[in-house]
Each structure stands twice: as structure tokens, then as C-alpha cells.
């Protein structure tokens, strides 16, 4: 079970939101590159970046901060990014900058053909972000709730060749209310590609519950507010997860 620290970018700062509300942002650092270095020092094996302004604008808006992070850590660990990616040119530019994986969210729902093209053009480098509330997918920085069912879309995207699905329960994100284990497991059992849990990680009980369903295809979890405010110590939590399910087992 891989714990993946999140660096959410808003106006060049590292922040955390509550339920995706841009008006409820807590600034944790004005130096995202230094924050990236901090999480690497704490044993992070992968980083999860989100361009929050980009998710609203429909195009990357925090590229200066993203480049600073990539310059700081080089190729030490893989870095994935979501938020505002809507065309192939943007994907190519971001991958050229040094990102390992691009996460497509809103555009995957609104323009499935684009996602399919991206998977063909950049095989091995595309994940899908499915953000949902009560089983329904949300788009546009979580501001719009669609009628699409999570599992229906996940099965479609699996056929396109995405590397993994990042599933976020937006009702819990940033609220420290615990991972939605039931919904995450249901999704993982419906597809054969890996699922990364997100939204609500609170304590080691969540890590324990996720380790129990790792064999079903849940390979990691995005860690946000819980590691920023100290509810979870990243080093200790990753060691705990590794002991539960040894990485090479």
C-alpha cells in the first residue's frame, strides 16, 4: 500500500481544501518545491500534484510551481499531476517537463475520445481521476455533479488503456472523516486495473482497512490533510503498511 503525499497548488502555494471548496483553502506552504523535498525526506516514493486553479480554468495555471518542484527533485521519485489537462499538446509539454503521469478528470467525462487518444499517444503515462459523491461523478473542479455512475465510466476507461484510476470521495476530501472503503472496494472489484484511494484519509485505521483490500487491486492512497496536520506520520504509516503487506510479497 503506497502512501502518496498530495501537493495541491493554488495561486502558487501548497494548500488543502475542504470538499474541494476553493474558498476553504488552508495554506500549508508558500514554497511547494520545499514541501516536495520534505515529503521525499519523509520517505515518499511518489508525489501527487493537483493544479487547483487549472481544474477550474481548464488549463494548467501553476506551471511555474510545478516546474520548481520537478527541478528540485529531479528523477528521484515519479510525480503525477492532475488539474486542467484538456489537450494532447498540454500532456506532451508536461511529460517533457519531467512528470511521470498525467491524470485526466473532467476531460475524460466530457470528451472520452480525448482520453482514448491520450492513452494511445502516451501509453503508460495516463491515469484517470474519478471524483464522486454518492456514486455520481463530479467534474469542473468538483463544481458540477453529473449523472454518470463511477463504475460505468471506470469500465469504459479500463478498455481505453489507462494505467490506474484515482477514486476520490469528494464528500470526505479534506474532512478527516475516513476513507470510503466500501465504495473504493466496490470499484476495485469491478475493474482489473489498479485503483488509488483518495479523500478522507485520517489515521492508521484507514491504512489498516486499505491494506485489507490491497489484494483486490487498491494499490495506494493519496495522503493530504492528515499528513499535513500531523494526524499521520508518513514515515511510520508507510512502514506500517509495508509490514502489513510487504511490497515484494
Amino acid at each position: 500500500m503506497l502512501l502518496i503525499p498530495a501537493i495541491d497548488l493554488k495561486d502558487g502555494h501548497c494548500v488543502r481544501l475542504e470538499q474541494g471548496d476553493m474558498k476553504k483553502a488552508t495554506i500549508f506552504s508558500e514554497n511547494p518545491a520545499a514541501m516536495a523535498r520534505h515529503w521525499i525526506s519523509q520517505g515518499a516514493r511518489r508525489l501527487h500534484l493537483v493544479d487547483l486553479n487549472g481544474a477550474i480554468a481548464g488549463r494548467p495555471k501553476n506551471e511555474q510551481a510545478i516546474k520548481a518542484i520537478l527541478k528540485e527533485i529531479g528523477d528521484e521519485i515519479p510525480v503525477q499531476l492532475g488539474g486542467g489537462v484538456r489537450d494532447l499538446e498540454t500532456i506532451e509539454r508536461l511529460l517533457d517537463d519531467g512528470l511521470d503521469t498525467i491524470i485526466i478528470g473532467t476531460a475524460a467525462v466530457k470528451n472520452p475520445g480525448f482520453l482514448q487518444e491520450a492513452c494511445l499517444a502516451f501509453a503508460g503515462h495516463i491515469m484517470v481521476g474519478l471524483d464522486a459523491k454518492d456514486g455520481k461523478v463530479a467534474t469542473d473542479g468538483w463544481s458540477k455533479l453529473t449523472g454518470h455512475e463511477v463504475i460505468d465510466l471506470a469500465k469504459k476507461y479500463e478498455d481505453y488503456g489507462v494505467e490506474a484510476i484515482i477514486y476520490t470521495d469528494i464528500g470526505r476530501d479534506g474532512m478527516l472523516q475516513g476513507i470510503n472503503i466500501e465504495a473504493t472496494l466496490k470499484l476495485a472489484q469491478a475493474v482489473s486495473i489498479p485503483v488509488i484511494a483518495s479523500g478522507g484519509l485520517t489515521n492508521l485505521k484507514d491504512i489498516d482497512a486499505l491494506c485489507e483490500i490491497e489484494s483486490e487491486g487498491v494499490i495506494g492512497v493519496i495522503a493530504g490533510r492528515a499528513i499535513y496536520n500531523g494526524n499521520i506520520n508518513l514515515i511510520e504509516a508507510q512502514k506500517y503498511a509495508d509490514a502489513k503487506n510487504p511490497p515484494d510479497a
Side-chain angles (χ1 to χ4, degrees), residues 42-239:
Q42 296 293 300
R45 299 171 192 163
R46 188 176 190 91
L47 288 178
H48 176 79
L49 309 186
V50 181
D51 186 335
L52 295 170
N53 301 104
I56 301 296
R59 64 186 187 279
K61 301 290 283 184
N62 283 280
E63 287 194 73
Q64 186 174 347
I66 293 164
K67 288 180 178 179
I69 290 170
L70 294 170
K71 182 179 179 181
E72 170 65 31
I73 67 175
D75 58 359
E76 290 181 56
I77 62 171
V79 181
Q80 61 196 41
L81 168 77
V85 180
R86 304 283 196 272
D87 58 74
L88 297 178
E89 291 77 14
T90 298
I91 295 175
E92 184 173 25
R93 184 176 74 252
L94 292 170
L95 291 176
D96 285 344
D97 285 343
L99 287 161
D100 175 77
T101 310
I102 303 301
I103 303 155
I104 300 175
T106 294
V109 180
K110 293 186 172 183
N111 186 3
F114 161 61
L115 175 64
Q116 199 165 17
E117 290 175 357
C119 289
L120 287 170
F122 307 104
H125 297 282
I126 303 297
M127 292 183 185
V128 160
L130 283 178
D131 307 326
K133 188 173 184 179
D134 300 324
K136 301 292 185 181
V137 174
T139 62
D140 299 276
W142 301 354
S143 63
K144 298 177 182 177
L145 202 61
T146 73
H148 295 291
E149 296 284 344
V150 168
I151 289 178
D152 291 343
L153 287 184
K155 288 180 176 179
K156 180 191 293 186
Y157 300 157
E158 178 181 23
D159 291 339
Y160 292 171
V162 299
E163 283 297 292
I165 294 170
I166 299 176
Y167 174 66
T168 304
D169 184 324
I170 63 177
R172 300 186 183 215
D173 190 77
M175 303 303 291
L176 298 175
Q177 293 178 350
I179 293 285
N180 189 334
I181 297 293
E182 182 181 357
T184 304
L185 174 60
K186 187 176 179 182
L187 174 60
Q189 290 175 331
V191 296
S192 60
I193 54 176
V195 171
I196 296 172
S198 177
L201 181 69
T202 303
N203 51 40
L204 283 181
K205 286 185 178 180
D206 289 321
I207 303 295
D208 197 52
L210 287 165
C211 285
E212 291 297 319
I213 62 173
E214 186 170 1
S215 61
E216 298 287 348
V218 182
I219 64 166
V221 58
I222 307 297
R225 187 175 290 272
I227 60 172
Y228 280 90
N229 67 11
N231 278 33
I232 290 178
N233 178 290
L234 184 63
I235 295 176
E236 293 176 2
Q238 188 63 72
K239 284 182 179 178

Side-chain angles (χ1 to χ4, degrees), residues 17-33:
L17 305 183
E18 293 181 11
Q19 297 180 315
D21 189 339
M22 293 285 274
K23 296 177 182 177
K24 296 180 180 179
T26 302
I27 296 176
F28 281 99
S29 173
E30 295 185 359
N31 188 338

